[in-house]
Amino acid sequence: MRIVLLGCPGAGKGTQAKQIAERYHIPHISTGDILRSAIQSHNDLGKKVKEVVEQGQLVSDDLMIELVKNRLQADDCKNGFLLDGFPRTISQAKALEEMSGIDVIINIAVPEAEIIKRLSGRRIHLASGRTYHVLFHPPKEADKDDVTGEPLIQRPDDQEEAIRKRLMVYHADTAPLQNYYQQSSYQYINIDGAQEVQTLQQALFNILDSQS
Ligand code: AMP
């Protein structure tokens, strides 16, 4: 199954994507995770994108399209994939159409006030991508990963100013994808992301089970 997950920052794409990828045995391709790990390892890509990512802006279409094109050619994508964080612009969506078919596009919709609350409390364990929230899903011990005990971090782009920037960028560049896909011949499903994580997960499984 080839799935594209859309939704504004903090909609819960990452959390849901992990569960979906596991259930359907497809790779979870998070462009945000790929960029963060490049930044972390100080490689060429990381150096190129660090500032842009940390300020909450978008990395250039050319760079992102090249990155995803290469990733989709890997063996593990033969039976499908789940894209999380790509496409983020109409140009990226058009490039994706040339790279691969898509079976379903799911948009997770969450009101903006809820988003700010969610993002500013988010903490992550960098090595595994495990995500916590200081109020809604706190770790067993404050600021430590439940599995490894390693420190959790707050993403620089989860600071309030960067969150506002990311939401502006989302509205300007990414939200238009909803209309774009709605009017396309692709199967497009809009789902309420304000519901509880487990309820949302079950709703997504029901949709995807009916596809496979
Ligand atoms: P995410 O984890 O999906 O919220 O992505 C974190 C950051 O990585 C974004 O705010 C952008 O700076 C960058 N990024 C991730 N995916 C893309 C993309 N498809 N196009 C441009 N920038 C991206």
Side-chain angles (χ1 to χ4, degrees):
M1 203 160 10
R2 295 159 301 181
I3 308 168
V4 169
L5 213 49
L6 295 180
C8 67
K13 295 191 298 295
T15 306
Q16 297 298 337
K18 282 193 186 60
Q19 307 299 328
I20 293 171
E22 209 168 285
R23 182 175 175 98
Y24 301 99
H25 310 290
I26 48 176
H28 168 205
I29 304 174
S30 157
T31 45
D33 283 351
I34 295 172
L35 297 176
R36 275 185 292 280
S37 95
I39 292 171
Q40 188 69 7
S41 57
H42 305 283
N43 63 19
D44 284 350
L45 173 65
K47 284 181 197 149
K48 234 185 262 179
V49 302
K50 183 175 191 311
E51 204 171 315
V52 173
V53 170
E54 293 187 348
Q55 286 173 357
Q57 290 168 328
L58 290 188
V59 173
S60 76
D61 283 339
D62 285 354
L63 213 161
M64 293 312 299
I65 289 166
E66 188 62 26
L67 191 151
V68 170
K69 198 170 174 181
N70 287 334
R71 182 63 188 86
L72 292 186
Q73 279 164 0
D75 262 5
D76 65 343
C77 293
K78 287 219 164 73
N79 294 322
F81 50 80
L82 189 161
L83 277 173
D84 160 12
F86 185 96
R88 252 181 164 92
T89 63
I90 303 272
S91 308
Q92 292 180 13
K94 288 188 171 152
L96 176 60
E97 277 160 36
E98 312 218 323
M99 287 176 216
S100 170
I102 306 168
D103 297 309
V104 60
I105 295 147
I106 299 177
N107 181 55
I108 304 183
V110 180
E112 191 154 325
E114 174 74 18
I115 291 295
I116 295 182
K117 208 161 57 181
R118 286 187 185 185
L119 288 180
S120 52
R122 183 158 75 174
R123 300 291 181 272
I124 61 169
H125 177 239
L126 256 187
S128 67
R130 274 185 288 278
T131 307
Y132 301 84
H133 190 283
V134 291
L135 297 178
F136 309 136
H137 173 44
K140 291 186 191 123
E141 199 179 332
D143 295 324
K144 296 217 169 106
D145 177 48
D146 286 353
V147 178
T148 62
E150 287 167 355
L152 302 178
I153 63 145
Q154 181 176 36
R155 285 169 41 173
D157 59 347
D158 279 346
Q159 321 263 346
E160 194 156 333
E161 197 181 326
I163 293 175
R164 289 191 195 285
K165 176 80 198 161
R166 285 162 71 203
L167 288 174
M168 270 168 54
V169 168
Y170 171 78
H171 287 298
D173 297 325
T174 308
L177 284 176
Q178 294 173 32
N179 255 334
Y180 178 81
Y181 280 131
Q182 235 155 11
Q183 287 164 13
S184 73
S185 55
Y186 289 115
Q187 180 174 201
Y188 174 84
I189 295 169
N190 197 49
I191 191 159
D192 172 16
Q195 44 189 333
E196 206 261 320
V197 177
Q198 295 302 327
T199 317
L200 174 59
Q201 186 190 97
Q202 197 50 56
L204 288 168
F205 287 173
N206 292 344
I207 292 168
L208 294 169
D209 281 354
S210 71
Q211 310 277 312
S212 48

